[in-house]
Amino acid sequence: EVERTRTGRSFSVRSVKAVQHGQPIFTCLASFQRAQHSPLQHQFTMPAAPPPEQLLTQEELIQKFLRNPNLAERYRRRLNKIQAEDVPIEIKPVNPPDVFGAEPQEPKQLFWVRARGYIGETDMKVHCCVAAYISDYAFLGTALLPHRQYSVRFMVSLDHSMWFHAPFRSDHWMLYECESPWAGGCRGLVHGRLWRRDGVLAVTCAQEGVIRVEQKPNQSKL
């Protein structure tokens, strides 16, 4: 169900509600703007990172771990489960976390990301939709990095906001900068920025989600 909330000369707003079996399951507020020149322009500086050509993909990192003959069976099962997921995104972590460790880490992550395959010079709205999918992947998990002594029982997004600043290609490599400024009350807040390779800030994201955890059992290292 789409409501034409506002239609102006420069900005328009649409309210969208998805209903399934008579129950609303999703709401969206979408704003659109005609392209306009503005003398007011600034942005943050893109963080320094090695180019994607110098980094391993998530699949290559998993294969590297699986080749270790001393890998514990529980970790092997977990990695095989991740590898079996059919994710239509290519991901190259800049600083891959130690998937087997429990040491707390700063709630920040950097990934090079892009859609698999070729999309091409199509309608920009298509690239925005693909970027929306990309932006949700591993985003909320940034809030877990300082709390790796816990196992996740339940984690789901409450809301997700995106602001599109500049044209981009979602099938080209973009640097995804993620950080979590706060977590508490069984909720986590994360901010994200998608940078084009030329340093232009293309998209800003924010998400809040429910995160319920439990203490990991103490396991012998022998």
Side-chain angles (χ1 to χ4, degrees):
E1 301 175 359
V2 180
E3 176 188 337
R4 296 175 177 266
T5 308
R6 182 180 186 276
T7 301
R9 288 181 297 179
S10 299
F11 295 88
S12 295
V13 180
R14 299 292 183 263
S15 301
V16 183
K17 179 169 68 174
V19 180
Q20 189 176 61
H21 305 303
Q23 297 293 325
I25 59 170
F26 171 86
T27 58
C28 171
L29 191 66
S31 299
F32 304 89
Q33 179 192 10
R34 292 185 184 276
Q36 293 177 286
H37 173 73
S38 171
L40 301 179
Q41 295 186 29
H42 75 268
Q43 65 165 51
F44 283 174
T45 301
M46 179 178 173
E53 291 77 15
Q54 294 181 11
L55 300 171
L56 298 177
T57 65
Q58 182 169 275
E59 291 83 359
E60 290 168 337
L61 287 168
I62 289 175
Q63 285 297 326
K64 182 180 176 181
F65 285 127
L66 290 174
R67 284 194 294 267
N68 183 353
N70 299 318
L71 182 65
E73 186 58 32
R74 64 180 182 277
Y75 294 136
R76 193 174 297 278
R77 286 196 301 268
R78 187 197 308 175
L79 291 174
N80 280 323
K81 183 178 179 181
I82 295 172
Q83 193 176 40
E85 294 176 354
D86 186 18
V87 180
I89 310 169
E90 286 188 83
I91 303 166
K92 291 191 173 187
V94 173
N95 294 301
D98 179 4
V99 295
F100 312 121
E103 293 298 317
Q105 297 180 348
E106 190 178 14
K108 294 184 178 182
Q109 298 191 85
L110 282 176
F111 307 93
W112 285 103
V113 293
R114 69 178 178 185
R116 294 188 189 277
Y118 176 80
I119 298 176
E121 296 285 353
T122 183
D123 192 321
M124 188 61 211
K125 292 190 287 291
V126 174
H127 289 288
C128 289
C129 290
V130 176
Y133 184 96
I134 289 174
S135 71
D136 191 47
Y137 189 82
F139 195 22
L140 195 54
T142 309
L144 292 170
L145 292 176
H147 313 286
R148 305 184 71 208
Q149 71 273 31
Y150 296 102
S151 297
V152 178
R153 289 196 296 112
F154 181 77
M155 185 167 66
V156 66
S157 171
L158 289 170
D159 52 64
H160 190 104
S161 301
M162 300 184 73
W163 297 265
F164 298 95
H165 310 307
F168 61 92
R169 284 273 300 270
S170 56
D171 54 351
H172 288 179
W173 286 115
M174 292 188 291
L175 186 66
Y176 194 17
E177 179 187 10
C178 306
E179 58 186 4
S180 175
W182 176 88
C186 294
R187 291 176 290 126
L189 177 67
V190 286
H191 294 160
R193 288 179 280 272
L194 276 167
W195 300 88
R196 295 190 331 207
R197 289 194 67 164
D198 60 0
V200 171
L201 179 59
V203 186
T204 298
C205 316
Q207 186 179 87
E208 186 182 42
V210 176
I211 306 177
R212 302 191 190 279
V213 298
E214 60 188 4
Q215 186 78 40
K216 289 180 180 178
N218 291 327
Q219 294 175 335
S220 171
K221 297 184 181 297
L222 298 178

